Amino acid sequence: MTDFTPISDEEWRKKLTPEEFHVLRQAGTEPPHVGEYTSTTTEGVYRCRACGEELFRSTEKFEAHCGWPSFFSPLAGDKIIEREDNSLGMRRVEVLCAKCGSHMGHVFGGEGYDTPTDLRYCINSISLTLDEKPIEG
């Protein structure tokens, strides 16, 4: 983890809206097809809404038609944490911000998308903010 001083749930509740708190701090999921970034093609960097850490780039975003923003790769492997999630009676891999530990969504593999990694990072829009800027290189 990078420099981040852990804060209490009480402090998170002051910083986040109730909906943001539910998803980011309680591993909730926003409803499909309602998120701000589900279909956007705006160029830029997607940051963790809780701490501002850069997590994904628009160049790795693709249309998966699943109801949530989808990326085939994070900005860098050390920017996220992947951990097993056996909730809801299924095996999934949860994606967390490595800096603050906030829940982003889940990553799925082997679904047959035509992407370089065959991975789909299915991320809640409410977990992100988009820093609109041209992507270089």
Side-chain angles (χ1 to χ4, degrees):
M1 274 222 299
T2 55
D3 293 336
F4 182 79
T5 302
I7 62 177
S8 69
D9 279 353
E10 182 179 316
E11 291 172 285
W12 279 122
R13 286 183 195 279
K14 289 177 185 174
K15 179 177 176 156
L16 303 170
T17 68
E19 295 82 9
E20 291 168 346
F21 183 84
H22 174 65
V23 173
L24 289 158
R25 304 309 305 166
Q26 297 177 315
T29 301
E30 68 186 344
H33 305 286
V34 300
E36 178 180 6
Y37 304 121
T38 301
S39 299
T40 187
T41 56
T42 304
E43 200 172 347
V45 174
Y46 290 87
R47 297 174 176 273
C48 173
R49 188 172 299 246
C51 72
E53 184 73 358
E54 294 183 357
L55 300 177
F56 298 94
R57 288 191 175 155
S58 59
T59 51
E60 281 73 40
K61 189 174 187 288
F62 70 102
E63 186 55 65
H65 305 285
C66 65
W68 294 273
S70 298
F71 303 85
F72 61 80
S73 179
L75 185 68
D78 63 348
K79 298 285 186 174
I80 62 163
I81 296 169
E82 295 180 11
R83 74 175 178 202
E84 191 169 328
D85 174 6
N86 294 310
S87 65
L88 304 178
M90 64 181 93
R91 186 194 176 285
R92 301 180 295 171
V93 177
E94 182 182 17
V95 177
L96 304 153
C97 172
K99 184 173 181 180
C100 71
S102 288
H103 173 78
M104 297 287 117
H106 291 85
V107 60
F108 303 94
E111 296 178 315
Y113 288 103
D114 186 21
T115 62
T117 63
D118 198 24
L119 295 173
R120 176 174 58 95
Y121 287 83
C122 184
I123 307 298
N124 292 285
S125 283
I126 202 167
S127 297
L128 303 169
T129 57
L130 175 58
D131 183 5
E132 297 181 26
K133 62 182 178 183
I135 304 294
E136 298 176 16

